Amino acid sequence: MTATAILNDESFMRQAINEAKYAYEKDEVPIGAVVVCQNRIIARAHNLTETLNDVTAHAEMQAITAAANVLGGKYLIDCTLYVTVEPCPMCAGALGWSQITRIVYGAADHKKGYSMISPKSLHPKTTIVSGVLEKECAQLMQDFFKSKRDRRPF
Amino acid sequence: MTATAILNDESFMRQAINEAKYAYEKDEVPIGAVVVCQNRIIARAHNLTETLNDVTAHAEMQAITAAANVLGGKYLIDCTLYVTVEPCPMCAGALGWSQITRIVYGAADHKKGYSMISPKSLHPKTTIVSGVLEKECAQLMQDFFKSKRDRRPF
C-alpha cells in the first residue's frame, strides 16, 4: 500500500472510531463502522443491539443497509467498509452477500471473529486489511468491558 | 419426536411456506420463516432483498427482529424458528447471537447453507431439525429458478 492509502485508511478508521465512541456513550459494545465509496463516506453506523433490543443491529449490518440505500443497489461494489473490530460471522455473511470490494478492520476478535468461526463467509474477491489503528480500537473494547466488570455488585 | 410434535412442526412449516409464496409473488427468492413461542406464531417474514435493495433482508433476519420486538428482549429463548430453506451463514450468525432454542428448516442448501460454510455459527445449545416438508420447500425454489432461467432472452 502507498503512504496515501495508509493515511486514508487511518483517516476513515478514525471516523469508525468516532462511531464506536457514540456506541460507548449509549452503553453499547463500542464498535463503529463507515462505508466509503469513491473516497467519500456514504454510511456511518454504530452498534445498537441493546438500544434496539435486536441482535442484528451490529454496526456493520446497519452500515451495509444504509450504504445500499444511498447507492440504490444492494451490491457494494467499489466500496470499503471500515470497522473498528473484526466482523462476526453474521456480519461477514452479510458482507459476503454484498460482494463488498474491501474490508478494513482495526482490532481482531479472537473469540467471535469470522476468521476463527466462518472464514469462508466473505466473497472470494473481497480484499481484507486488518490492524489499522488496532490499539485504539481494542482499547475502547477493553475499557468498556472493564467498566462493566467494575460495576458488577459482586 | 412425538406424533404431535411432528404434526406441529409440519403445521408451522406450512405457515413458513405461505410466507415463501408471498416472496415468490414479489419475484423474490421464495424463502419464508415464522417464529413460534409457546405454540403461537409471534413473527412472520419472507425474503425481501430485491424489494428493499438490501442483502440483509432475508426472511430469518426480519423474523428475528420482529420476534425480539414482540418479546421485548433480544434473546429468543424458548422460541423455534421455522424456515423453508437452510439458513445462510449470515442468518446462522444472527440466530447464534439470538440464542434461539430450536431451528426447524425444510430444504437443505448444499451451496450456501451454514452447515457447509459456517457450522459453528449457531449457539451450542440450539437444537436443529431439518427436512420438514423438504420436498415442498425445495420445489418452490426449483420452480422459481427455473422460471428465471426460462425468462432469460438467450
Side-chain angles (χ1 to χ4, degrees), chain B:
Chain B
M1 264 197 316
T2 64
T4 313
I6 293 167
L7 193 66
N8 279 349
D9 277 351
E10 290 196 354
S11 162
F12 288 128
M13 186 60 83
R14 287 210 185 281
Q15 297 295 314
I17 290 172
N18 280 348
E19 287 295 320
K21 287 177 180 170
Y22 291 136
Y24 199 132
E25 286 166 14
K26 294 172 183 167
D27 209 25
E28 297 272 4
V29 174
I31 300 177
V34 298
V35 175
V36 172
C37 185
Q38 296 180 326
N39 226 31
R40 195 169 65 87
I41 293 176
I42 61 167
R44 297 171 183 270
H46 52 269
N47 176 39
L48 283 173
T49 51
E50 298 301 323
T51 308
L52 299 178
N53 252 335
D54 186 351
V55 295
T56 76
H58 283 194
E60 300 95 312
M61 302 299 282
Q62 297 175 74
I64 291 167
T65 299
N69 197 36
V70 170
L71 295 174
K74 62 182 180 155
Y75 297 116
L76 305 184
I77 311 293
D78 296 330
C79 291
T80 299
L81 174 94
Y82 293 84
V83 59
T84 56
V85 177
E86 180 186 347
C88 74
M90 170 181 72
C91 295
L95 290 162
W97 285 118
S98 80
Q99 300 183 24
I100 196 162
T101 299
R102 194 161 169 262
I103 298 168
V104 180
Y105 67 85
D109 182 345
H110 298 298
K111 280 188 182 167
K112 297 192 170 177
Y114 83 95
S115 64
M116 294 291 288
I117 301 171
S118 60
K120 291 179 189 169
S121 288
L122 295 175
H123 193 273
K125 287 188 179 172
T126 300
T127 306
I128 316 292
V129 177
S130 63
V132 173
L133 300 182
E134 180 177 11
K135 204 174 160 186
E136 287 163 72
C137 295
Q139 192 66 52
L140 269 173
M141 295 287 276
Q142 287 159 15
D143 290 351
F144 178 79
F145 287 110
K146 184 176 183 305
S147 77
K148 283 276 178 196
R149 282 193 300 272
D150 292 347
R151 272 184 280 168
R152 276 187 197 159
F154 54 86

Side-chain angles (χ1 to χ4, degrees), chain A residues 101-105 114 122 126-130:
Chain A
T101 298
R102 194 162 169 264
I103 298 168
V104 180
Y105 66 84
Y114 83 95
L122 295 175
T126 299
T127 306
I128 315 293
V129 177
S130 62

